[in-house]
Amino acid sequence: MTEADGKRPGGGKHSLPLKERMAFGLGDLVGNGMFGITGSYLIHFYTDVVGMAAGQLAMLMLVARIVHSFSDPVVGLIIDRRGLFSGRVMPYVHWFAVPLALSLCACFARPFSGATGELIWAWVSYLAMGIIFSFFIVPYGLLPNTMSERSDDRLSLSTYRMVGATLGTFLVGSLVPPAIAHFGYMAGIGLVAAAGAVVAMVPSWVCRERIALAPDRLPLKVTLRSLLQNRAWVVVTLALSLFYIDLTSFYGFAIYYAEHVLGRDAAFGGLLISVMGVTKATGVFVSSFVAPRLGWKPAITLGYACSMTGLILFWMAPNTAWLLIGLFGLVCFFDGIALPVFYTMLAEAIDIGAVLTGVRAAGIAYSMNSFAGKSAWALGGFLVAALLAWGGYDGHAAIQSEAARHAITFGFLGVPFCVGLLSIIVIQLYPPVSAATTMSNSAEALIIPED
């Protein structure tokens, strides 16, 4: 096994307490829960409750999510320039948890009557929610770089993060539908958001920052040029961006696929989302054993290849509930194997780039990765709405046209298949990186004294 295959130094024993790793994972339970709610139920809310046309929805998803993408680098610059909290990232996680929950509730509010008023409110509330989300998720994503420089710790943190993320997916699929059914969209989402605000603050109560992020005073163009010279960062950024398109397709089309292709109710779509959460969490857990033995690139390749095979079997299978659930679970299980590996590679790619280019700008490095991911999320959201419009989807029609059903099927199964194939190709471009590069960066780390 060579280092080109993806193994990294770091020892075999975790230095971080278990409670910190578990608490860190809860942050992405909220983050991924937000993605799930806005990527599935909010889209469904806009088309089937508000009555927004698919074309209007496509424009909203594209423009708003592009704006959200640009807010990430702004937050990264604030962190690198010591704009708030003296360069610490934990206070962001603490102070923006409640505003994030309130902004989510606002997206499902209907304070204005009339199509024009509701459309304007949708734009304003959704734009505000995404900007506030940047102030939470970018600092949260940087926590592994401030908690430890050890590869084993970062892989473990990535694993717990992905367990939290997939648990968030499960809760979105299992708790949100009954909450909406019993209390309506506004009150149901409000209860979920209130619980999410409390959970989102747990990392700030338990986790500790031990490594100070070095400030970056260089011109922005110099910093961005250093990122583009870091091949490892570029490859991981592309791979994670593709993953967001995959995730958007599953979230965005699950309810539509259940109702209009399978002929089942919306609850079955929620069940598929719940299954996605449970089985991805299982895949993430298995990844912590598989990835260190196979290497990063082989683990990702194996996961996506098996996931693509599962998609074909799901498409060919008869409309039997238990069989469809089982096959979809396998698809998501193998997707889950790749997730913690991606985030471990990202954390180390940021450190490696600092050594290779001499530019230390962890905030902008992570936020530009998040920018690319959110741009892909924007493209995915636009793709969901565009496919619905292309197929002639009518939110008020009980029975959809054959073209609409074909568009939904391609979005739910075809898009993830294409993403898997492209991801396998992209990840092969990840360069071999010497252990000395990572270790030299670790030696230069700025350690925060114990309190």
Side-chain angles (χ1 to χ4, degrees):
M1 183 72 192
T2 65
E3 292 194 65
D5 295 318
K7 285 189 175 179
R8 294 293 183 270
K13 185 178 180 181
H14 300 300
S15 64
L16 293 178
L18 177 61
K19 66 178 182 179
E20 287 195 43
R21 287 178 276 147
M22 294 178 66
F24 174 76
L26 293 178
D28 217 31
L29 183 154
V30 175
N32 211 52
M34 288 282 294
F35 273 126
I37 291 172
T38 58
S40 54
Y41 299 103
L42 185 59
I43 290 178
H44 195 260
F45 173 77
Y46 282 152
T47 58
D48 288 32
V49 178
V50 176
M52 190 182 298
Q56 292 176 320
L57 176 62
M59 186 59 63
L60 170 61
M61 291 293 107
L62 181 63
V63 175
R65 287 179 177 178
I66 288 177
V67 173
H68 297 165
S69 301
F70 279 98
S71 64
D72 282 4
V74 172
V75 175
L77 282 173
I78 292 172
I79 293 172
D80 285 336
R81 301 295 198 268
R82 299 296 194 262
L84 288 173
F85 308 120
S86 301
R88 297 287 186 113
V89 297
M90 200 75 75
Y92 290 88
V93 177
H94 180 80
W95 290 109
F96 283 95
V98 172
L100 180 61
L102 293 175
S103 67
L104 177 63
C105 293
C107 289
F108 289 90
R110 302 181 69 181
F112 300 104
S113 59
T116 301
E118 291 201 305
L119 183 61
I120 292 174
W121 179 255
W123 277 85
V124 172
S125 60
Y126 190 58
L127 281 168
M129 186 276 298
I131 293 171
I132 295 172
F133 184 69
S134 293
F135 277 91
F136 174 83
I137 202 65
V138 171
Y140 169 77
L142 279 171
L143 280 177
N145 290 74
T146 67
M147 292 174 66
S148 175
E149 74 262 17
R150 293 167 52 91
S151 296
D152 288 334
D153 283 335
R154 289 178 176 178
L155 177 60
S156 181
L157 286 171
S158 296
T159 299
Y160 278 93
R161 176 179 184 173
M162 290 302 98
V163 170
T166 50
L167 179 59
T169 301
F170 168 75
L171 294 177
V172 165
S174 58
L175 296 184
V176 175
I180 292 174
H182 284 84
F183 303 105
Y185 268 102
M186 183 59 192
I189 294 297
L191 290 173
V192 172
V198 176
V199 174
M201 287 190 284
V202 171
S204 67
W205 296 334
V206 179
C207 300
R208 292 189 62 254
E209 293 184 71
R210 298 171 176 84
I211 304 168
L213 297 177
D216 174 40
R217 307 294 184 186
L218 295 173
L220 180 59
K221 65 179 181 179
V222 175
T223 303
L224 295 178
R225 189 185 307 125
S226 72
L227 289 179
L228 295 178
Q229 292 171 349
N230 183 354
R231 186 169 136 194
W233 179 87
V234 171
V235 170
V236 176
T237 296
L238 287 173
L240 273 171
S241 297
L242 287 170
F243 163 74
Y244 280 114
I245 294 177
D246 179 42
L247 189 63
T248 305
S249 295
F250 281 148
Y251 275 137
F253 283 106
I255 296 176
Y256 297 108
Y257 190 83
E259 288 184 329
H260 304 297
V261 177
L262 298 179
R264 300 175 180 275
D265 57 17
F268 190 78
L271 178 60
L272 289 178
I273 294 174
S274 295
V275 168
M276 178 167 64
V278 172
T279 53
K280 276 193 177 182
T282 307
V284 166
F285 176 77
V286 172
S287 179
S288 64
F289 299 98
V290 172
R293 290 165 175 78
L294 291 181
W296 290 345
K297 289 191 285 189
I300 291 171
T301 301
L302 174 65
Y304 272 121
C306 293
S307 176
M308 292 162 61
T309 303
L311 286 169
I312 295 174
L313 294 175
F314 184 94
W315 176 62
M316 297 174 60
N319 190 355
T320 304
W322 66 266
L323 181 60
L324 292 175
I325 291 171
L327 289 173
F328 189 67
L330 285 176
V331 169
C332 298
F333 168 80
F334 287 113
D335 275 352
I337 289 178
L339 293 183
V341 185
F342 281 143
Y343 283 99
T344 304
M345 294 168 75
L346 174 60
E348 292 201 359
I350 291 174
D351 284 348
I352 290 166
V355 174
L356 295 178
T357 66
V359 178
R360 295 181 177 276
I364 195 65
Y366 180 82
S367 63
M368 286 304 296
N369 174 276
S370 184
F371 166 81
K374 282 192 175 180
S375 297
W377 181 254
L379 178 61
F382 173 78
L383 188 61
V384 170
L387 283 172
L388 291 174
W390 174 73
Y393 177 81
D394 182 357
H396 297 293
I399 301 177
Q400 299 296 326
S401 67
E402 184 176 357
R405 292 195 297 271
H406 285 323
I408 292 169
T409 299
F410 177 75
F412 189 63
L413 301 177
V415 171
F417 184 91
C418 294
V419 164
L421 182 60
L422 287 173
S423 298
I424 290 174
I425 296 172
V426 167
I427 206 64
Q428 306 311 314
L429 302 176
Y430 193 85
V433 183
S434 67
T437 301
T438 302
M439 294 180 72
S440 64
N441 182 63
S442 298
E444 296 175 9
L446 299 173
I447 307 300
I448 297 176
E450 295 288 334
D451 293 331

